[in-house]
Amino acid sequence: MAAAGALVAELPPADVLIDRSARTRFRLGFDRAMSWLTPLLFLVAIVPILDMVYYISRKVVPTLTWNIITSTNPYQTDALGVPLQTTFYLIGLSTALAVAFGLLGGIATAELLPERWANVARTSANLLVGTPSIIIGYLGYLAFVLYFGWGLVFLSGAVTLSFFMTPYVFRTADLAFSSIPRHIREAALGNGAAPSQYILRVGLPIAFPQILTGVFLAMAIGIGETAPLVITMEPGVLVPSNVFSPAIVLTEVIWENFTSGEPLLVLKAFQAAFLLLVIVLALNVIVRVISARYQKRLEGLYQ
Amino acid sequence: MSGEGPVGNGPILSVDHLTVTAKGKTLLDDISLDFASNSLTAVVGPSGCGKTTLVRSLNRMTELTPGLRVKGAVNYLGQNIYDRSVNPVLVRRRIGMVFQRPTVFPNSIYENAAFGLRLVHEEEGKIDIAVRHALTRAGLWDEVKDDLERPALSLSGGQQQRLCIARALAVRPRVLLLDEPTSALDPGSTQRLEETMEHLKEEMVLVLVTHNVGQAARVSDRVAFLHTGHLVEMGETEEILERPKDPLTQQFITGRFP
C-alpha cells in the first residue's frame, strides 16, 4: 500500500495540468534563456556593422564633394569618378553575363534536366560558391588573360567576376522554379502548354521576385570583390573606353591606398568604402521595393 | 488509325487494354472502356483504386510523373494518343483538365481564361469572344463580367474552380477531364459546379473522377467502378447504383468500404 502510494505521489494529480517535472522545467528555462540570447546575438552582430558604418560616415561625409564623386580627371588625385563609373560598367557586364548563364542553367536544372544531371549541376554551383575568389581570379587569369590573350583588361575582369556571380543567380533561379507549386505546373502543362511556354508564361512571372533577389545579391557580392579583379586587370587611370582597356574599380582603390600610410590616400580609401556602402544599401532597398510589389500579385498562390 | 472506323462513328474517347505500372507496382490493370459522347462518365472507387491515374492517362499527364509506364492505347477520334508520332502537348490542347484544387495563374481573370488561346497565338478579337463564351459556359460570366482585369487569385475558391473550367473550355475541347473538382469546395460551390457540369455534358465528353457516390448519382450518366486498379463494373448510373452486379460495387455504394 505504501509502495503504491509513493508511485501515485510521483505523478501529478489528474486534475492539474501544470507539469513540474525536471524535464519540463529545464525545457521552459532553456526556452526563456534562448529568447534572451537570440536578441543579444543579434546585437553582437549588428553593433560592429553599425559602428563601422558610423565610423566611415563620420570620417568621410564632411570631406566628400560632388566634384570628388564625379570628376574623371586623371590628374586630380583625390577624384573617385573613374573607379565609380568603372565599377558600374564592370558590374553591369558581369551581371548581364551572370544572369544569362545563371538563369538558363537554373531553369534547365529545375525544369528540364533529369534528376541525376540536375544534382550534378547543383553540386557544381555549390562548389563554385565555396571556391575562394582568389582561386577563381587565378583561373580567370590563366584562361582569359593568358590563354585567350586578352591581357590585363576590363573584359578579363568582368568575365572572371561573372564566374563568381553566376552560381548565385543559378541557385535562386533553380530554387524559385523548383518551389512553384506542383499543381500550377500541372495545370499549365495539362492545358496544353509546351514546357517552354510554361517556363515563359507561367513560371517566370511567378519566380521573378525570387530571381531578382538573387541577381541583386550577386551584384552586391560582385561589387565587394577585390581579389579576382586585382589579378585580372591592370589599374587604369581613365574610365575604360572599350572592353580591352585597363580598368580600376572602387575596391581596388581601397586595396591600393588603405595601407599606404599617406593620410590623403587613406582618406581616399575611406571615401571609396563609403561609396560602396551606399551602393550596396541602395541595391538592397531597390530589390526589396521591387520584389514586394511583385510578391503582392502572388498572394494566395501558395495556399 | 489502322483498322479503326472513320471519325464520327466510333466513340470520341476510348481506352483499350490500358495498363499503368510504377516501379513494378500495377496501378491500372488491363482497362478497356468507351466514354460515350454528350454524356458524363463518373469514375468512382475507394482511395488508391487508380481513378486519378486513369483520368491522367487520358491526356498523357502520366508522363509528368517520373517512373510511370503506360501500356495499351487511349484512342481519341480513332487515334492512339500514345502513338510515338503523337505530340503530347497537342493532345493536352484537345483534351483539357481540371484538378482537385483550383489552379489559377497569378494574373487577371481574362488572361487565365485566355491562357490556352494565347498558347496557340489566337487573334485578339477571337480571344475576346472565346473568353466570354467560356466564362458563360462555366457559369462565371455574370459574376466577373464587370471586372475581367481583376487578379484571378482574388476570387473565391468556387469561382476559381469555375475559372479553371473556363480556361479549359476556351479552346473548345471535345473532352474535358475533371479530377475531383469539388473536393476542395464548400457545399454551395459544389452545387454550382455540378450544375455547370450538367450543362456541359450536353455538348461534350466529360470524365469526372469522384469519391462521392452521391455526386456520381446526381450528375453522371454512366459510372465506372474501379477497385485496386481493375475495372469492376461499368454501366448506366442508375443500373450500377441501384442494381450493382458485383458485390464489391455494392459494398462501395452502400458505404461499407474504407
Side-chain angles (χ1 to χ4, degrees), chain B residues 142-186:
Chain B
D142 289 333
E143 290 156 63
V144 300
K145 65 181 177 209
D146 299 322
D147 201 359
L148 292 173
E149 293 310 313
R150 234 170 90 192
L153 284 166
S154 68
L155 296 172
S156 76
Q159 288 173 321
Q160 286 189 20
Q161 196 60 302
R162 273 179 281 146
L163 180 55
C164 290
I165 290 181
R167 180 174 66 193
L169 289 177
V171 294
R172 295 180 167 274
R174 295 174 74 169
V175 179
L176 184 60
L177 311 175
L178 304 140
D179 184 4
E180 299 194 28
T182 61
S183 63
L185 303 184
D186 60 81

Side-chain angles (χ1 to χ4, degrees), chain A residues 15-239:
Chain A
D15 58 334
V16 174
L17 296 175
I18 297 166
D19 178 3
R20 289 203 172 79
S21 69
R23 191 191 158 88
T24 301
R25 283 215 307 271
F26 173 77
R27 188 172 54 76
L28 291 175
F30 187 77
D31 211 30
R32 183 170 298 173
M34 279 302 150
S35 50
W36 282 100
L37 194 63
T38 318
L40 207 68
L41 289 176
F42 172 73
L43 280 183
V44 169
I46 197 81
V47 164
I49 294 176
L50 288 178
D51 179 63
M52 183 190 75
V53 172
Y54 174 71
Y55 180 74
I56 295 176
S57 308
R58 197 188 54 169
K59 204 169 164 85
V60 168
V61 170
T63 66
L64 265 189
T65 63
W66 191 242
N67 174 265
I68 288 178
I69 299 173
T70 54
S71 170
T72 55
N73 180 354
Y75 298 107
Q76 188 181 337
T77 50
D78 67 347
L80 286 166
V82 170
L84 183 64
Q85 283 186 31
T86 309
T87 300
F88 282 126
Y89 292 140
L90 191 93
I91 291 300
L93 181 55
S94 299
T95 307
L97 292 171
V99 167
F101 290 112
L103 203 57
L104 286 178
I107 292 174
T109 301
E111 291 296 330
L112 305 172
L113 290 182
E115 201 53 28
R116 167 194 298 226
W117 290 110
N119 284 331
V120 170
R122 286 179 188 127
T123 310
S124 314
N126 288 343
L127 280 176
L128 206 51
V129 168
T131 309
S133 58
I134 188 87
I135 293 184
I136 292 181
Y138 185 63
L139 292 175
Y141 175 77
L142 290 179
F144 308 122
V145 178
L146 298 183
Y147 186 75
F148 288 168
W150 294 345
L152 296 162
V153 295
F154 179 85
L155 186 62
S156 304
V159 177
T160 305
L161 195 61
S162 77
F163 271 69
F164 192 71
M165 291 159 64
T166 302
Y168 292 95
V169 181
F170 171 93
R171 287 211 296 198
T172 40
D174 175 25
L175 201 68
F177 266 85
S178 299
S179 62
I180 293 173
R182 209 177 104 101
H183 62 264
I184 293 290
R185 182 170 186 267
E186 294 210 323
L189 297 173
N191 283 293
S196 60
Q197 289 176 319
Y198 159 68
I199 289 167
L200 292 174
R201 289 164 187 267
V202 181
L204 214 49
I206 294 175
F208 181 76
Q210 241 180 305
I211 293 175
L212 195 73
T213 311
V215 170
F216 275 75
L217 173 72
M219 285 171 85
I221 286 172
I223 283 176
E225 263 318 315
T226 328
L229 299 177
V230 169
I231 54 181
T232 53
M233 296 194 307
E234 188 180 6
V237 288
L238 294 171
V239 176

Side-chain angles (χ1 to χ4, degrees), chain B residues 33-53:
Chain B
L33 53 89
D34 290 350
F35 293 98
S37 303
N38 303 338
S39 72
L40 190 154
T41 303
V43 181
V44 300
S47 304
C49 68
K51 52 192 191 296
T52 292
T53 308

Side-chain angles (χ1 to χ4, degrees), chain B residues 13-236:
Chain B
L13 188 70
S14 65
V15 176
D16 193 12
H17 295 291
L18 186 77
T19 296
V20 179
T21 53
K23 295 177 187 121
K25 198 170 160 252
T26 304
L27 303 178
L28 289 178
D29 192 6
D30 198 27
I31 306 256
S32 294
L33 53 89
D34 290 350
F35 293 98
S37 303
N38 303 338
S39 72
L40 190 154
T41 303
V43 181
V44 300
S47 304
C49 68
K51 52 192 191 296
T52 292
T53 308
L54 174 62
V55 80
R56 284 169 68 91
S57 67
L58 298 180
N59 70 348
R60 287 180 70 167
M61 288 293 283
T62 36
E63 280 161 39
L64 301 183
T65 315
L68 281 194
R69 296 173 65 104
V70 178
K71 268 185 288 182
V74 172
N75 296 306
Y76 171 68
L77 301 176
Q79 167 71 53
N80 177 12
I81 63 168
Y82 284 94
D83 201 278
R84 275 171 58 185
S85 57
V86 168
N87 179 352
V89 172
L90 299 182
V91 170
R92 295 180 200 134
R93 280 183 191 160
R94 301 313 308 147
I95 306 178
M97 194 158 192
V98 176
F99 298 83
Q100 293 189 13
R101 291 165 55 189
T103 55
V104 299
F105 302 137
N107 45 28
S108 67
I109 294 168
Y110 183 91
E111 282 306 319
N112 264 277
F115 180 74
L117 299 158
R118 296 252 189 255
L119 296 178
V120 295
H121 309 288
E122 188 59 90
E123 293 165 34
E124 288 296 327
K126 287 187 182 166
I127 291 182
D128 272 349
I129 297 166
V131 163
R132 177 179 180 150
H133 187 66
L135 286 169
T136 309
R137 288 215 293 166
L140 191 59
W141 177 254
D142 289 333
E143 290 156 63
V144 300
K145 65 181 177 209
D146 299 322
D147 201 359
L148 292 173
E149 293 310 313
R150 234 170 90 192
L153 284 166
S154 68
L155 296 172
S156 76
Q159 288 173 321
Q160 286 189 20
Q161 196 60 302
R162 273 179 281 146
L163 180 55
C164 290
I165 290 181
R167 180 174 66 193
L169 289 177
V171 294
R172 295 180 167 274
R174 295 174 74 169
V175 179
L176 184 60
L177 311 175
L178 304 140
D179 184 4
E180 299 194 28
T182 61
S183 63
L185 303 184
D186 60 81
S189 301
T190 300
Q191 197 195 338
R192 294 220 49 184
L193 206 69
E194 286 178 1
E195 284 163 12
T196 303
M197 287 189 260
E198 298 227 40
H199 288 300
L200 290 176
K201 74 183 184 188
E202 286 160 17
E203 42 196 311
M204 62 199 303
V205 177
L206 286 189
V207 182
L208 169 72
V209 168
T210 179
H211 57 256
N212 183 336
V213 179
Q215 182 168 63
R218 288 192 294 276
V219 299
S220 73
D221 304 298
R222 285 153 64 81
V223 169
F225 174 64
L226 290 186
H227 184 250
T228 60
H230 298 272
L231 178 64
V232 176
E233 210 170 334
M234 181 169 184
E236 303 287 324

Side-chain angles (χ1 to χ4, degrees), chain B residues 232-249:
Chain B
V232 176
E233 210 170 334
M234 181 169 184
E236 303 287 324
T237 301
E238 226 169 273
E239 193 71 23
I240 297 279
L241 295 187
E242 284 171 17
R243 292 177 293 280
K245 293 189 189 77
D246 197 287
L248 279 173
T249 320

